Amino acid sequence: MGTLASLISALASGEATAVLQRARMTAILYGLAGVFALCGVGFLVGAAYIWLAARYGALATSLGFGVGFLGLAALILVIHKLTAGMQARRRARRRKADMTAIGITAALALLPALAKSRGGPGALLAPAIALAAYAIYRENVKPGPGDPDSGNGS
């Protein structure tokens, strides 16, 4: 039985090594392809600059390329800011739902112990009233501008 286990572990570790070698080779090849793609894009931008400089002049072409690349950078930053805001609101909603689930789970876990305590049902009445009051309060309070549930983009 011991030799079977060692044979299985040797096969498994050999396969794991082969998978790691293939992953490393794939990462290297994708990295090289990325470098060559960036070089190709650079030469295409250079060719476009030379062609436009011959038509419109070096100064006008330089200004156009500068404004174009600054516009692209601004567009990327605006898109990032919008998506980061949406992700932050999504994380806040998820965190709120998780905390609610944890609270409900904790309350349900304590319920049998509270029911068996000396106070009996009376010990359950105060937390139940507090929970109902909190639910009524949350239902009637308007969310502020900083509240993730407010729905506006700030």
Side-chain angles (χ1 to χ4, degrees), residues 134-148:
Y134 179 71
I136 292 170
Y137 168 77
R138 288 293 292 169
E139 191 70 30
N140 294 317
V141 171
K142 295 179 184 173
D147 192 352

Side-chain angles (χ1 to χ4, degrees), residues 118-133:
R118 283 187 290 167
L124 296 175
L125 192 58
I129 291 172
L131 185 61

Side-chain angles (χ1 to χ4, degrees), residues 15 27 47 61 143 154:
E15 180 64 25
T61 303
S154 54

Side-chain angles (χ1 to χ4, degrees), residues 20-151:
L20 287 176
Q21 287 175 345
R22 283 194 306 267
R24 185 174 68 225
M25 183 57 81
T26 302
I28 290 170
L29 291 176
Y30 275 118
L32 283 173
V35 167
F36 289 133
L38 286 176
C39 288
V41 169
F43 276 105
L44 288 175
V45 169
Y49 177 84
I50 291 169
W51 180 63
L52 290 172
R55 288 185 83 143
Y56 300 109
L59 181 62
T61 303
S62 292
L63 289 173
F65 269 65
V67 169
F69 281 118
L70 287 175
L72 285 174
L75 181 66
I76 289 170
L77 291 177
V78 166
I79 290 171
H80 172 69
K81 183 155 180 68
L82 291 174
T83 57
M86 290 187 314
Q87 289 174 351
R89 286 190 295 276
R90 192 177 308 126
R91 280 192 305 268
R93 281 194 301 270
R94 190 176 310 126
R95 189 171 38 249
K96 181 180 176 186
D98 289 347
M99 291 307 289
T100 302
I102 289 171
I104 289 171
T105 303
L108 289 175
L110 287 175
L111 197 59
L114 287 175
K116 291 180 183 178
S117 69
R118 283 187 290 167
L124 296 175
L125 192 58
I129 291 172
L131 185 61
Y134 179 71
I136 292 170
Y137 168 77
R138 288 293 292 169
E139 191 70 30
N140 294 317
V141 171
K142 295 179 184 173
D147 192 352
D149 295 330
S150 65

